């Protein structure tokens, strides 16, 4: 497995489709202010600095999660946190790039 795959930057287009078919929920980990300036319709805003404390809630959704942010770096961190909590998750990268793939 390459370093990009370990960070959640693998073949996104195929994974996004697979995740959406399973009813994935998109979680935007940018700040509340950034989220207000623009986001993917229907996405949930859970800032990175609060994601660890929300893992139980996210797990209770019983659905896979696609995380996004501005560039993909914060969402890579969130992906790691959520994977370590047993949540099926992928890094969707930057929200605008992800939105163009939906």
């Amino acid at each position: 497995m390459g370093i990009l795959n370990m960070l959640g930057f693998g073949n996104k287009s195929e994974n996004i489709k697979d995740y959406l078919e399973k009813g994935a929920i998109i979680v935007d980990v940018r700040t509340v202010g950034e989220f207000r300036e623009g986001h993917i319709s229907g996405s949930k805003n859970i800032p990175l600095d609060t994601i660890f404390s929300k893992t139980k809630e996210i797990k209770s959704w019983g659905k896979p999660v696609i995380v996004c942010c501005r560039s993909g770096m914060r969402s890579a961190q969130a992906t790691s946190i959520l994977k370590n909590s047993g949540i099926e998750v992928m890094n969707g990268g930057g929200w605008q790039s992800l939105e163009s793939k939906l």
Side-chain angles (χ1 to χ4, degrees), residues 28-89:
D28 189 320
V29 296
R30 294 176 299 148
T31 65
V32 173
E34 288 174 297
F35 187 78
R36 283 187 189 136
E37 291 174 5
H39 58 272
I40 296 172
S41 179
S43 63
K44 296 182 181 288
N45 182 220
I46 303 176
L48 178 61
D49 64 352
T50 65
I51 199 93
F52 185 78
S53 67
K54 301 282 187 175
T55 55
K56 188 181 274 189
E57 175 188 338
I58 294 167
K59 202 171 199 174
S60 76
W61 299 342
K63 297 189 182 270
V65 173
I66 301 171
V67 289
C68 64
C69 62
R70 190 174 129 225
S71 68
M73 296 311 292
R74 285 177 282 182
S75 55
Q77 292 175 36
T79 297
S80 178
I81 291 167
L82 296 176
K83 274 186 182 177
N84 287 335
S85 297
I87 296 167
E88 184 179 358
V89 60

Side-chain angles (χ1 to χ4, degrees), residues 22 39 60 91 102:
K22 295 189 233 177
H39 58 272
S60 76
N91 180 1
L102 299 178

Side-chain angles (χ1 to χ4, degrees), residues 1-19:
M1 174 182 268
I3 188 76
L4 291 178
N5 285 334
M6 290 186 335
L7 291 173
F9 290 108
N11 182 356
K12 283 196 187 108
S13 294
E14 184 177 313
N15 288 338
I16 291 167
K17 182 181 174 194
D18 294 342
Y19 270 61

